[in-house]
Amino acid sequence: MASPRLKREQSFDFEEASAQEAMGSASASYSPPGGVFGISPPESSPRDGRKRRKDRPSWVKRTFTPHFDGHLWRKYGQKNIKDSSFPRLYYRCSYREDRQCLASKLVQQENDDDPPLYKVTYTYEHTCNTTPVPTPDVVAEQPAPAAGDAYLLRFGSSASGGIHGDAHQQIERDQRQQQQHSARRPFMMLSFDSSSHLHEQQHEFPPDQLPSAASPSFTAEALPPPVPPPTTTTNDGGDLFSTWDSFRYGLDDDHAHLGNHVYLPDDCSGGDDNY
DNA sequence: TTGATTTGACCAGA
DNA sequence: TCTGGTCAAATCAA
């Protein structure tokens, strides 16, 4: 009897090494040129499905909300990693089979802070052409960012803009988690997730570099008046979930643009915003 | 009933 | 040889 393992799913033969080399070491953040790799359609031998990891295009970002990046993911694995206190979670695009979307991501918690910081490694760009949920969320707890008060502001992906219901559910689950986190202890959280298909203006602040809410250039009040949201959910308990379409938040000059978050592990600060 | 998640095993790369 | 990435059956949840 042949082992079912013999049945290898899709196998792809990507030669992305050149792209990696162009970006430097494999561990550096990789910014997909134009947001699209030179992806070839699935082909070649079955064994290449497990392409050498170094050859696969990937980029890293750190975020407090690893599940909010505007795409719909399906978890397919979890593994404890050596030298890591936290398991690594494996996700792939939910449209992998439907649209041969190769995008996948690895989520690994990096610390036990509140909220915890996650390192997300994306592999391959989305080719599913699904609308990456252009409806960010704003979650603001505590009306005024007074000293010591919790202040949570999240620009995440919401489901109201064309995402499927299951994605909505997933997001809601995550929102609940975030709420639970935020309810435990005062903290400040700023995380910006939105449609990633544009691959532009993405920054993320490490926890120790989060712009202060009191900063004149980075306050909740500084937010541009949002487009009237198609759906706005307000929790009576004081939490506010606001969603609106096509929201992009930019800060000029020496302040980061906020629209998506990105981590710049090395010195990828010049030129295009890294991804 | 259907789809998502969990989890142990397999396999390839380092 | 070890570790990490993926598969797929079993299980869970909606």
Side-chain angles (χ1 to χ4, degrees):
Chain A
M1 304 249 225
S3 169
R5 305 269 179 211
L6 291 177
K7 174 186 160 224
R8 286 292 163 220
E9 212 173 301
Q10 302 151 336
S11 58
F12 311 112
D13 186 15
F14 294 109
E15 297 298 342
E16 296 292 343
S18 59
Q20 283 286 355
E21 291 169 0
M23 293 301 300
S25 68
S27 61
S29 275
Y30 174 57
S31 180
V36 178
F37 300 105
I39 295 177
S40 305
E43 61 183 356
S44 94
S45 62
R47 285 179 174 269
D48 288 345
R50 290 177 177 171
K51 191 69 179 175
R52 285 175 303 184
R53 292 189 274 272
K54 286 179 63 176
D55 287 351
R56 295 188 296 189
S58 64
W59 59 103
V60 177
K61 74 175 184 180
R62 284 176 169 79
T63 178
F64 298 107
T65 56
H67 307 299
F68 291 86
D69 56 14
H71 287 281
L72 186 58
W73 301 95
R74 174 177 292 184
K75 185 178 179 180
Y76 68 88
Q78 174 175 331
K79 208 169 175 63
N80 290 321
I81 301 301
K82 187 174 178 291
D83 296 332
S84 177
S85 304
F86 308 99
R88 180 173 294 173
L89 311 179
Y90 299 90
Y91 297 87
R92 67 164 61 108
C93 180
S94 292
Y95 298 101
R96 178 188 175 94
E97 294 181 1
D98 288 351
R99 307 187 186 188
Q100 284 75 49
C101 182
L102 302 176
S104 63
K105 71 175 181 181
L106 287 66
V107 176
Q108 184 155 21
Q109 187 174 338
E110 289 209 315
N111 58 41
D112 201 16
D113 293 345
D114 193 2
L117 180 65
Y118 296 89
K119 176 182 176 182
V120 184
T121 302
Y122 292 90
T123 305
Y124 292 122
E125 181 59 282
H126 281 274
T127 58
C128 51
N129 288 328
T130 54
T131 303
V133 193
T135 55
D137 282 348
V138 173
V139 179
E141 300 197 10
Q142 307 289 348
D149 279 351
Y151 196 83
L152 187 153
L153 180 63
R154 180 175 66 210
F155 289 67
S157 303
S158 171
S160 62
I163 194 168
H164 292 47
D166 48 356
H168 198 169
Q169 293 171 5
Q170 177 179 343
I171 290 169
E172 286 182 342
R173 281 199 300 271
D174 205 80
Q175 287 174 339
R176 289 192 208 101
Q177 283 187 335
Q178 295 293 354
Q179 285 184 269
Q180 290 171 357
H181 265 300
S182 63
R184 287 215 307 262
R185 193 198 314 168
F187 72 93
M188 176 179 175
M189 171 177 171
L190 294 168
S191 179
F192 296 81
D193 273 309
S194 71
S195 60
S196 58
H197 65 298
L198 293 176
H199 303 292
E200 56 183 0
Q201 314 296 3
Q202 300 192 356
H203 287 271
E204 178 174 299
F205 300 92
D208 56 338
Q209 296 178 19
L210 284 172
S212 169
S215 170
S217 60
F218 196 89
T219 64
E221 291 77 16
L223 291 171
V227 175
T231 59
T232 298
T233 302
T234 304
N235 292 357
D236 294 340
D239 295 341
L240 175 63
F241 288 80
S242 297
T243 302
W244 59 86
D245 284 326
S246 303
F247 177 77
R248 291 179 61 197
Y249 179 39
L251 292 175
D252 291 324
D253 301 324
D254 49 346
H255 289 91
H257 285 264
L258 297 169
N260 254 344
H261 42 225
V262 66
Y263 173 65
L264 307 176
D266 293 320
D267 56 341
C268 307
S269 55
D272 297 338
D273 289 325
N274 204 316
Y275 189 72

